[in-house]
Amino acid sequence: MSNSSLGTGVRADLSESLEDDRVRCTACAFRCTLDPGQRGICQVRENVDGELRLLTYGKVYDKPYGLPGTVDPIEKKPLYHYKPGTRVLSFGGASCNFSCQFCQNHHIAFADPEDIDLRDVQPEEAVESATEQACDSVAWTYNEPTIYAEYIRDGARAASDQGLGTVIVTNGYFTEEFADMLEPVLDAANVDIKGFREQPHRKYMGSRLEPTLRGAEYLIDRDVHVELTYLIIPDLNDDREEIRDFAEWVYGLDPSVPVHFTRFRPAYNMQDRPETPLSTLRMAHDVATDVGLEYVYVGNVPEAKYSDTLCPDCGATWISRRGFRATVESDLSEPCSCGRGKDIVR
């Protein structure tokens, strides 16, 4: 593993040429306009002599030995309605376009690509590793995948050629151009909604709220399977009315979109707050259910009560979960005994 060969990367297709050798990046919603020699907010996309280059194409943060990637259950992403019970091979890289003050992966998300060891893994190698480790999908996660969009696209094409799926875990802060480029090859996404109020979003994430919401909408409009995660942080985004507003937004998209309310654990620059009380998570579940959302889950807690997938009409258990282990309890290709179609799994 070495970062000595970072070089000038590959040409970034999500870009626009401007006057005086300036370029505009069109991957994420910041749409950085860059002079020659300047990098975007993500630190991995740079204007090199009037051309935008992705410096970290084919480079991941990974162990220096063995097969590339980390094998996870798909439920860990979390994705509960996409290939339940299967394995996914996960990859991540350097840097991010957000500055979340509670980031669990701050050691890579806040690192410039020269500052950490990156392993060379070409798209075909990632897919070969997934196949050898009996994975059904490849996930781009840990840091924000939008910033290395062209790498994901090529990896997804290679995965599709081998009959594997591609998923991303994303903050949603991407452009319509990004969604258009990934649409033919992206199967599923978990979009992190980090609160539903503008001012805290700017203060603690370094970004606006609206582009993230729009990103989730882009994927849903393009028939990508989408699940949403809302990390509940005490005294930041745990207000009942804020959670209701979030749930009503989801309902307007599609009440069958799965929502995961997850427990906050102190990390990085936000270690002065407690873990999310279980009572708050239960409240969020009840509020979202009351709004009319059909599949609401609670995560990062030992309690299994809110992990199962139930029929929204009769309450029959379709998929049961213990931790990250899923058991399909009935034939998902057949209607529920009450007549409800089980069109929940992609």
Side-chain angles (χ1 to χ4, degrees):
M1 236 180 2
S2 173
N3 57 21
S4 60
S5 60
L6 193 61
T8 58
V10 301
R11 181 183 181 277
D13 294 326
L14 289 178
S15 63
E16 299 173 348
S17 297
L18 304 174
E19 294 181 350
D20 300 323
D21 283 337
R22 301 167 78 215
V23 295
R24 178 180 295 114
C25 178
T26 60
C28 98
F30 281 110
R31 293 186 179 272
C32 297
T33 298
L34 308 173
D35 293 322
Q38 187 178 13
R39 292 184 184 181
I41 195 169
C42 66
Q43 295 301 308
V44 301
R45 300 171 78 84
E46 180 178 342
N47 181 340
V48 179
D49 298 327
E51 181 178 77
L52 187 65
R53 308 284 293 185
L54 171 57
L55 304 179
T56 54
Y57 184 98
K59 297 182 182 297
V60 300
Y61 182 76
D62 194 34
K63 56 189 180 297
Y65 53 85
L67 294 172
T70 300
V71 177
D72 290 317
I74 193 68
E75 286 76 16
K76 194 173 181 179
K77 296 302 99 185
L79 288 167
Y80 279 11
H81 293 207
Y82 174 77
K83 297 181 180 291
T86 63
R87 291 152 58 98
V88 59
L89 192 65
S90 299
F91 292 96
S95 198
C96 189
N97 58 350
F98 271 24
S99 55
C100 300
Q101 295 305 296
F102 46 85
C103 181
Q104 297 281 341
N105 295 317
H106 55 87
H107 59 294
I108 60 173
F110 284 81
D112 290 343
E114 293 89 353
D115 294 340
I116 59 174
D117 286 329
L118 298 173
R119 179 176 181 174
D120 292 326
V121 180
Q122 291 303 303
E124 296 76 13
E125 294 178 88
V127 174
E128 182 180 355
S129 180
T131 300
E132 291 188 29
Q133 297 184 78
C135 294
D136 289 80
S137 309
V138 176
W140 303 95
T141 177
Y142 304 136
N143 70 322
E144 177 49 45
T146 302
I147 65 178
Y148 43 98
E150 294 81 5
Y151 182 34
I152 296 174
R153 175 202 59 199
D154 295 347
R157 287 173 176 170
S160 180
D161 289 344
Q162 297 301 317
L164 303 183
T166 294
V167 306
I168 60 174
V169 179
T170 174
N171 59 33
Y173 212 76
F174 48 74
T175 62
E176 193 162 13
E177 294 94 322
F178 172 89
D180 286 339
M181 186 176 77
L182 269 291
E183 177 184 7
V185 289
L186 181 62
D187 296 286
N190 186 289
V191 181
D192 287 322
I193 309 296
K194 304 172 190 290
F196 214 71
R197 296 287 183 264
E198 182 67 25
Q199 192 275 336
H201 211 277
R202 289 177 181 266
K203 180 176 180 179
Y204 294 103
M205 279 68 83
S207 59
R208 295 181 293 126
L209 171 63
E210 191 271 339
T212 284
L213 306 183
R214 193 168 62 234
E217 293 167 2
Y218 287 154
L219 296 183
I220 290 172
D221 289 345
R222 285 158 178 77
D223 199 33
V224 174
H225 175 72
V226 172
E227 303 191 23
L228 303 172
T229 293
Y230 188 111
L231 178 69
I232 301 183
I233 303 175
D235 297 322
L236 179 62
N237 61 7
D238 60 346
D239 178 77
R240 178 183 290 269
E241 290 308 310
E242 181 173 357
I243 290 170
R244 179 171 290 277
D245 289 345
F246 162 72
E248 289 176 346
W249 169 73
V250 178
Y251 186 88
L253 296 177
D254 183 345
S256 68
V257 171
V259 168
H260 304 260
F261 290 111
T262 60
R263 167 174 274 174
F264 163 82
R265 292 196 172 99
Y268 193 44
N269 290 332
M270 200 173 282
Q271 300 192 36
D272 58 338
R273 297 176 191 247
E275 289 189 347
T276 315
L278 186 55
S279 59
T280 303
L281 293 161
R282 289 170 176 158
M283 176 272 291
H285 177 277
D286 293 346
V287 166
T289 302
D290 181 65
V291 165
L293 302 190
E294 295 181 333
Y295 304 105
V296 183
Y297 303 103
V298 171
N300 283 352
V301 294
E303 185 172 289
K305 179 180 179 181
Y306 299 123
S307 296
D308 295 345
T309 299
L310 309 179
C311 173
D313 290 347
C314 73
T317 301
W318 293 347
I319 305 173
S320 61
R321 298 180 182 86
R322 295 297 177 268
F324 296 122
R325 186 177 63 187
T327 301
V328 178
E329 301 288 355
S330 61
D331 186 350
L332 296 177
S333 66
E334 297 291 334
C336 185
S337 58
C338 70
R340 169 82 182 221
K342 300 175 187 172
D343 53 348
I344 61 163
V345 174
R346 297 291 289 265

